[in-house]
Amino acid sequence: MNRLILGTIASMGLTLAFVPALQAQDANTDETQTVKAGGLSFEVPASWKVNQPRSQMRLLEIAVPPVDGDEKPGELVLFAFPGGAGTVQMNVQRWQQQFSTEDGSPPDIKTETIKVGDAEITLVEAAGRYRTQIPTPVDEPNFRLIGGIYPTARTGYFFKLVGPDKTIQEAGPAFRAMLKSMKMSR
């Protein structure tokens, strides 16, 4: 056979050899891991890294990998407070106060209620300059929060996903899927 034909066959073989690897890589983006905390279980992307909580107030901490263009990862934290730590609206306002617009005023905040089985979860979204002192001082521009507030008769659960704007926007659909996968594990 001539070299051109052999070269073409060889390159086609290499291309075909990479197709399964590329398909497997795409499939990995859909893989999840089951996480349990505070009597709840739910599914999160396999690429999200479960870490040891840095404080006793936190039941769970998960690092969300940054997207291209963001230097810092996002963070998902789960808090649980007996009695709920105030009304849903009080907690929405608490999260809103952690953000400000360029002129220093509170940002617009979006809320929505979703049903997960018998549970009602209030979704909260805010963006702008993020400032908090807990657990360590943070003052970051262009951050976003997507939160979920799930009050039960005994406990208020608070899912707080916060980090660089693009990273959190990209993680938003996975966060919603996580909440929709939630089950009581006790």
Side-chain angles (χ1 to χ4, degrees), residues 35 39 42 46 63 76 81 90 102 112 131 170-171 174 181 183:
V35 178
F42 41 88
L76 172 61
F81 298 109
M90 289 170 63
E102 287 183 23
E112 168 189 355
R131 290 187 178 111
E170 179 93 11
S181 75
K183 294 179 178 76

Side-chain angles (χ1 to χ4, degrees), residues 91-100 106-109 124 126:
N91 285 286
V92 168
Q93 289 174 344
R94 192 172 296 133
W95 282 346
Q96 182 182 31
Q97 291 169 357
Q98 293 176 350
F99 286 83
S100 62
D108 291 335
I109 197 157
V124 180

Side-chain angles (χ1 to χ4, degrees), residues 86-155:
T87 66
V88 169
Q89 188 57 37
M90 289 170 63
N91 285 286
V92 168
Q93 289 174 344
R94 192 172 296 133
W95 282 346
Q96 182 182 31
Q97 291 169 357
Q98 293 176 350
F99 286 83
S100 62
T101 62
E102 287 183 23
D103 68 3
S105 61
D108 291 335
I109 197 157
K110 298 177 194 170
T111 61
E112 168 189 355
T113 302
I114 62 170
K115 295 264 306 165
V116 177
D118 293 337
E120 285 193 3
I121 300 173
T122 302
L123 286 175
V124 180
E125 191 163 352
R129 177 174 286 280
Y130 176 61
R131 290 187 178 111
T132 187
Q133 295 297 315
I134 301 171
T136 58
V138 175
D139 184 353
E140 293 283 352
N142 301 316
F143 260 44
R144 178 170 297 273
L145 170 138
I146 303 175
I149 301 172
Y150 172 43
T152 70
R154 293 182 169 177
T155 305

